Amino acid sequence: MKEDMKVFKKREDFATDELYGDYVSQNVHKGSVVRMRHHSGMFKVGDLATVDSVPEGSEMLKVILAESGDQVTFFSHRVEILAPSEILASKK
């Protein structure tokens, strides 16, 4: 898989949340798995979610929480993108 070879950047690589959010929005698609970077409501730091959609021209992602199946709209800068190898490692 080509995505497996890609090294995704982390928040620390960007000067602002806005720039990181733009990066995330451009590099995720429906089915991408992301990990929560912040606690917010039902999400805890480290929770995994699947991207359901990336609304165009928005700083938001629609995600589905792995544990509950709940669907929520979340700021793109509040997640980190996981490569397939990281997803497999988190299931062990």
Side-chain angles (χ1 to χ4, degrees), residues 55-89:
E56 199 169 314
S58 172
E59 297 176 356
M60 308 298 276
L61 300 175
K62 235 179 218 179
V63 299
I64 301 169
L65 188 59
E67 292 291 314
S68 66
D70 291 331
Q71 188 172 6
V72 182
T73 302
F74 216 83
F75 282 105
S76 56
H77 70 270
R78 293 185 171 257
V79 303
E80 62 183 344
I81 306 169
L82 297 182
S85 57
E86 291 177 294
I87 297 165
L88 291 173

Side-chain angles (χ1 to χ4, degrees), residues 19-45:
L19 290 173
Y20 180 66
D22 289 346
Y23 169 78
V24 170
S25 295
Q26 292 171 11
N27 286 281
V28 298
H29 51 356
K30 184 177 178 104
S32 294
V33 176
V34 294
R35 181 174 28 225
M36 297 300 130
R37 295 181 59 240
H38 297 273
H39 172 78
S40 178
M42 70 178 126
F43 289 100
K44 295 181 280 239
V45 173

Side-chain angles (χ1 to χ4, degrees), residues 9-18 20 37 77:
K9 295 181 182 180
K10 302 295 182 189
R11 168 60 186 96
E12 297 75 28
D13 297 330
F14 295 85
T16 66
D17 281 345
E18 183 178 88
Y20 180 66
R37 295 181 59 240
H77 70 270

Side-chain angles (χ1 to χ4, degrees), residues 42-56:
M42 70 178 126
F43 289 100
K44 295 181 280 239
V45 173
D47 280 350
L48 298 182
T50 302
V51 175
D52 183 60
S53 64
V54 183
E56 199 169 314

